[in-house]
Amino acid sequence: QVQFVESGGGLVQPGGSLTLSCVTSGSTFTLYTMGWYRQAPGKERELVAFIRSRGTTGYADSVKGRFSISRDNAKNTVLLQMNNMTVEDTAVYYCNAGRTYAGTYQPNYWGQGTQVTVAS
């Protein structure tokens, strides 16, 4: 079992930046691929980014070049730096942990989510 403490969500203006933080509990953090999903009202849940235990990353086309995922294994923490944000980035963002198989990320554990709102 993995538990998460998510923070950093809130209100930001279009073009602004926001950083999400996810601190995990347990001693197996380094064994997991970590990721961020998001879900906006009326839209399907989508994978935003993931980072493998060795640091390999993947991004959704909609955020590539704007968002950056990183991890600090010593602190059991994964970050999502979001830049040049648009109203389409408004969603509940979920931290998660899982495995990567054949290049596909499969989440197994989920955080409660944090609201991100992009508006003037």
Side-chain angles (χ1 to χ4, degrees), residues 34 49-52 54-59 64 68-71:
M34 300 294 299
F50 67 86
I51 181 168
R52 297 180 182 178
R54 292 289 187 175
T56 304
T57 59
Y59 297 92
K64 194 170 185 178
S68 179
I69 189 171
S70 62
R71 66 191 296 162

Side-chain angles (χ1 to χ4, degrees), residues 3-15:
Q3 299 181 50
F4 307 96
V5 178
E6 299 159 301
S7 62
L11 176 65
V12 64
Q13 293 186 347

